[in-house]
């Protein structure tokens, strides 16, 4: 049923809950998992200089140590967990508007299912879904499994 599953991740607890679901499905269907970290260029424009923003737009993440470390850590968690379960994981880092990058990646790589958290690190949780999740649902024809994460008190 599924050959390639995309799990966008920002390293948050919600994203990691989605990772577990994606890996469970990948094990069941012998699917490959694609871990995608998206640098939201719109949100970093305010905190970075022009030269750094240009690097991001060109995909030169290796030149930005802290950002590269965050991305590698987030996708690395997926790869490590996949390795423990015998699931092949492809890691990818990209920059742009997250929902568009996710939708384009899914289309370009023949993704059968997107598994993502209900909300991520950015901002206050909306009543139902985070803005990236909501926009992704509207931007793709690929099925999306939205995983919620309940914080323990």
């Amino acid at each position: 049923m599924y050959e390639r599953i995309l799990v966008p991740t920002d390293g948050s607890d919600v994203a990691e809950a989605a990772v577990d679901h994606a890996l469970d499905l990948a094990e069941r269907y012998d699917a490959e998992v694609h871990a995608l970290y998206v640098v939201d260029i719109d949100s970093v424009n305010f905190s970075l200089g022009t030269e750094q923003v240009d690097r991001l737009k060109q995909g030169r993440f290796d030149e930005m140590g802290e950002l590269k470390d965050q991305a590698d850590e987030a996708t690395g968690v997926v790869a490590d967990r996949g390795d423990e379960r015998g699931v092949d994981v492809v890691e990818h880092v990209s920059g742009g508007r997250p929902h568009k990058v996710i939708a384009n990646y899914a289309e370009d790589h023949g993704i059968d299912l997107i598994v993502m958290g209900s909300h991520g690190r950015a901002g206050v949780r909306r009543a139902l879904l985070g803005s990236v999740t909501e926009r992704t649902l509207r931007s793709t024809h690929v099925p999306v499994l939205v995983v919620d994460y309940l914080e323990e008190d």
Side-chain angles (χ1 to χ4, degrees):
M1 177 169 237
Y2 303 116
E3 293 179 22
R4 284 174 293 287
I5 299 170
L6 173 60
V7 60
T9 182
D10 60 5
S12 66
D13 290 339
V14 178
E16 289 194 19
V19 167
D20 290 336
H21 283 273
L23 291 173
D24 284 347
L25 289 166
E27 269 187 305
R28 179 176 183 157
Y29 294 104
D30 193 30
E32 178 180 75
V33 170
H34 291 243
L36 175 64
Y37 183 96
V38 180
V39 178
D40 185 348
I41 291 179
D42 289 341
S43 71
V44 297
N45 272 340
F46 299 111
S47 62
L48 298 176
T50 306
E51 184 179 325
Q52 291 173 317
V53 171
D54 287 342
R55 283 183 193 151
L56 291 175
K57 288 181 178 177
Q58 295 169 16
R60 295 170 25 210
F61 305 107
D62 288 339
E63 298 175 19
M64 305 186 74
E66 185 177 330
L67 183 61
K68 180 68 172 146
D69 290 345
Q70 288 174 358
D72 288 346
E73 183 176 335
T75 61
V77 166
V78 182
D80 291 345
R81 289 186 185 171
D83 191 45
E84 291 169 1
R85 298 168 111 169
V87 173
D88 291 331
V89 175
V90 174
E91 297 178 72
H92 187 77
V93 178
S94 191
R97 298 190 72 195
H99 68 283
K100 288 184 178 181
V101 173
I102 293 166
N104 290 340
Y105 187 96
E107 184 177 325
D108 294 345
H109 293 87
I111 298 297
D112 304 302
L113 177 69
I114 301 169
V115 181
M116 61 190 303
S118 57
H119 59 284
R121 289 188 193 277
V124 177
R125 181 178 173 182
R126 288 187 166 195
L128 181 59
L129 296 177
S131 61
V132 171
T133 304
E134 183 178 337
R135 288 179 182 144
T136 300
L137 286 166
R138 296 171 193 236
S139 301
T140 184
H141 296 290
V142 174
V144 179
L145 172 61
V146 179
V147 178
D148 200 5
Y149 172 80
L150 301 175
E151 297 179 32
E152 295 181 23
D153 295 328

